Amino acid sequence: MAKLSAVAAFLVTLLLIAHATAYRCESGESCSEQLQQQQFLNHCQMHLRHECQSGRFDSNTSDESQQFQQCCRQLKQMDRGCRCDGLNMMMRELMREEQGQQEIQKMMQMAQNLPNQCNMKPRRCEMEMLSFRY
């Protein structure tokens, strides 16, 4: 029974991934194409890195605020249905670059709330559980 549940969960995951990859917005671009156009949300990556390194979750300086605003612009340029997929893809990229699991977990927590902080929908993105490779 446990094996059957694991297989079912795996199949559901595959279907969700296939749906996310196949999703096309009105312009006919896939989520991964939109992410490429938005430079893999590089401003969001920089914003999350800075916030994580500084230990704060708010942007006080003008450079930090500008980085955050550019992040919001990049997210806004993505179709609503692609924002969470884009943030998940961005986090996979960050995982390849970052070393500490603790930092990645902090960034994932911040990333899931970025749409809300940018005042757009969906308000919160569920982050995929990512495996850590060293």
Side-chain angles (χ1 to χ4, degrees):
M1 186 70 170
K3 287 183 181 180
L4 184 60
S5 295
V7 170
F10 178 73
L11 290 175
V12 168
T13 303
L14 283 177
L15 285 172
L16 290 172
I17 291 170
H19 174 72
T21 322
Y23 182 86
R24 301 223 178 245
C25 69
E26 293 170 7
S27 66
E29 297 169 330
S30 69
C31 293
S32 45
E33 289 170 333
Q34 290 182 50
L35 185 64
Q36 284 179 332
Q37 285 182 350
Q38 296 309 314
Q39 301 169 340
F40 296 92
L41 300 174
N42 63 329
H43 291 290
C44 296
Q45 290 180 35
M46 289 186 275
H47 170 70
L48 292 177
R49 279 192 181 113
H50 187 275
E51 292 296 304
C52 189
Q53 290 169 354
S54 70
R56 294 185 328 243
F57 296 98
D58 60 338
S59 299
N60 290 331
T61 69
S62 62
D63 287 343
E64 293 171 34
S65 179
Q66 185 178 17
Q67 198 69 55
F68 174 71
Q69 294 302 321
Q70 289 172 327
C71 169
C72 291
R73 274 188 226 110
Q74 285 180 320
L75 282 174
K76 190 173 188 166
Q77 292 299 313
M78 295 187 75
D79 186 69
R80 177 181 174 172
C82 287
R83 288 180 189 140
C84 291
D85 290 335
L87 287 169
N88 272 295
M89 289 183 234
M90 176 198 76
M91 285 306 304
R92 281 194 290 278
E93 182 64 30
L94 276 174
M95 267 193 62
R96 286 189 265 276
E97 299 169 8
E98 295 295 324
Q99 296 299 315
Q101 182 175 355
Q102 194 172 24
E103 287 82 13
I104 291 293
Q105 287 176 338
K106 285 181 188 177
M107 287 185 206
M108 284 178 70
Q109 289 172 350
M110 291 185 286
Q112 66 189 7
N113 292 315
L114 274 175
N116 186 49
Q117 291 175 329
C118 294
N119 199 28
M120 59 185 68
K121 292 182 180 181
R123 294 285 185 206
R124 181 177 166 87
C125 293
E126 291 302 318
M127 293 289 111
E128 296 170 3
M129 294 304 295
L130 305 168
S131 60
F132 291 88
R133 295 185 182 102
Y134 293 100

